[in-house]
């Protein structure tokens, strides 16, 4: 009798998928922790072939979490590509929290406010209940999920084409919806600051943020100190166009002095526990 191969069972398929998902989570955590890791190092660390690492990274790249570049897996942003919101959400946490608390002072009960897809603006969300009632307008799925059941907050979600790398909707549908609105306040961030101009890596993001800017009566820019050392391709808005630019306590004093001399209203967020 000739032996026949036994087809894989649903249980074995499920077990394989679970192992793959666990491995991809571990790879993501390792790369995000280091910022960048060589692919051969990942293969050695997890006891798998480089071909398997490449397959895993292809899936993670398609989900907008990591990228492959010249034998290296990276979570870092470049002048052309922004890092994923998952990676950005884990960086500069004390600084972003300080900035969010400073931004809260600009929000008043009864306002309609726009929040962009930045992870810095996301730090505002847990504190918004102190300013209710509010109407919150956003294109960010993460914020929508956080606020969908919030008491005293009316949520307006902006649709469009969904981009997984930033957990947000963008495109013509999004900008058209924004153009039909008029909000009291916009709170947004930027990927990079060059020559005192806010920049971003993607035109889709620039289009949405500019539409939000035009739809708001008052505009606040949130920028932690790392933005001043980063570069991005597309110019968005000059810092002087904002009603206030909130930076963190670690921002170089030279940047603060220069901006204030140019007439920019710079607010330096205090470190937790700092009184002055």
């Amino acid at each position: 009798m000739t032996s026949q191969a036994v087809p894989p069972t649903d249980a074995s398929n499920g077990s394989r998928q679970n192992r793959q998902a666990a491995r991809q989570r571990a790879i993501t955590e390792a790369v995000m922790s280091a910022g960048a890791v060589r692919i051969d190092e990942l293969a050695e660390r997890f006891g798998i072939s480089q071909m398997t690492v490449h397959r895993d990274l292809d899936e993670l790249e398609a989900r907008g979490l990591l990228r492959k570049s010249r034998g290296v897996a990276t979570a870092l942003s470049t002048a052309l590509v922004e890092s994923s919101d998952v990676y950005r959400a884990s960086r500069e946490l004390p600084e972003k929290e300080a900035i969010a608390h400073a931004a809260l002072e600009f929000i008043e009960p009864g306002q309609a406010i726009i929040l962009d897809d930045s992870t810095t603006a996301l730090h505002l969300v847990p504190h918004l209940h102190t300013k209710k009632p509010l109407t919150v307008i956003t294109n960010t799925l993460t914020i929508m999920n956080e606020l969908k059941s919030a008491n005293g907050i009316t949520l307006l979600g902006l649709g469009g084409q969904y981009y997984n790398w930033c957990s947000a909707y963008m495109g013509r549908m999004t900008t058209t919806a924004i153009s039909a609105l008029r909000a009291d306040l916009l709170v947004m961030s930027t990927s990079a600051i060059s020559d005192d101009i806010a920049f971003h890596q993607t035109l889709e993001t620039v289009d949405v943020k500019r539409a939000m800017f035009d739809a708001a009566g008052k505009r606040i820019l949130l920028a932690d100190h790392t933005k001043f050392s980063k570069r991005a391709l597309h110019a968005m808005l000059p810092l002087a166009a904002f009603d206030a630019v909130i930076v963190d306590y670690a921002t170089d004093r030279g940047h603060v002095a220069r901006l204030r001399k140019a007439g920019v209203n710079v607010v330096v967020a205090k470190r937790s526990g700092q009184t002055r």
Side-chain angles (χ1 to χ4, degrees):
M1 294 178 62
T2 58
S3 61
Q4 295 182 341
V6 179
T9 64
D10 290 342
S12 63
N13 283 335
S15 177
R16 188 183 307 113
Q17 291 172 354
N18 289 339
R19 289 196 302 271
Q20 182 185 43
R23 185 178 67 244
Q24 289 180 357
R25 284 195 299 272
I27 289 173
T28 301
E29 290 172 2
V31 175
M32 287 189 175
S33 176
V37 181
R38 292 190 57 81
I39 289 174
D40 54 0
E41 292 179 14
L42 290 171
E44 182 177 355
R45 181 183 305 188
F46 294 102
I48 54 178
S49 68
Q50 290 194 35
M51 184 176 295
T52 300
V53 177
H54 277 285
R55 283 199 298 265
D56 284 341
L57 290 174
D58 285 341
E59 290 192 27
L60 295 170
E61 188 169 36
R63 287 156 54 189
L65 294 172
L66 304 175
R67 299 187 311 283
K68 291 193 303 182
S69 177
R70 299 179 181 179
V72 175
T74 179
L76 302 174
S77 63
T78 70
L80 299 177
V81 183
E82 173 66 298
S83 54
S84 75
D85 64 320
V86 177
Y87 176 73
R88 286 181 284 120
S90 67
R91 320 304 291 182
E92 288 78 47
L93 297 182
E95 293 90 339
K96 290 177 180 178
E97 187 66 18
I99 290 172
H101 277 285
L104 200 63
E105 298 300 315
F106 289 87
I107 301 175
E108 299 177 6
Q111 285 184 328
I113 66 172
I114 302 175
L115 299 180
D116 74 345
D117 65 340
S118 65
T119 56
T120 310
L122 186 60
H123 279 256
L124 263 175
V125 173
H127 308 293
L128 291 179
H129 69 278
T130 64
K131 299 290 184 174
K132 63 183 184 183
L134 287 172
T135 295
V136 176
I137 304 160
T138 187
N139 65 323
T140 310
L141 184 59
T142 310
I143 294 177
M144 295 179 198
N145 286 333
E146 290 289 328
L147 294 179
K148 63 185 179 183
S149 302
N151 221 357
I153 293 179
T154 300
L155 177 63
L156 299 184
L158 301 166
Q161 182 176 345
Y162 181 72
Y163 289 77
N164 195 55
W165 64 266
C166 57
S167 186
Y169 298 91
M170 295 187 287
R172 183 175 296 180
M173 290 176 63
T174 314
T175 56
T176 299
I178 296 169
S179 68
L181 301 171
R182 290 297 178 268
D184 298 295
L185 178 70
L186 163 66
V187 180
M188 62 171 275
S189 187
T190 186
S191 292
I193 295 173
S194 299
D195 302 320
D196 299 339
I197 298 171
F199 278 74
H200 204 280
Q201 291 91 340
T202 68
L203 276 175
E204 294 89 346
T205 305
V206 170
D207 289 344
V208 169
K209 290 182 188 259
R210 282 180 175 170
M212 290 176 167
F213 185 92
D214 291 339
K218 181 177 286 189
R219 299 95 166 203
I220 308 299
L221 181 70
L222 315 180
D224 70 72
H225 65 279
T226 67
K227 310 298 185 182
F228 291 90
S229 60
K230 293 180 179 178
R231 294 292 179 266
L233 182 62
H234 301 288
M236 193 157 48
L237 292 158
L239 270 58
F242 290 88
D243 294 277
V245 176
I246 305 177
V247 300
D248 67 80
Y249 46 82
T251 302
D252 188 290
R253 293 182 179 181
H255 293 314
V256 175
R258 184 187 66 256
L259 289 170
R260 286 176 173 167
K261 186 176 181 180
V264 179
N265 177 22
V266 181
V267 176
V268 180
K270 297 175 182 177
R271 191 189 304 268
S272 177
Q274 184 178 355
T275 57
R276 64 173 190 173

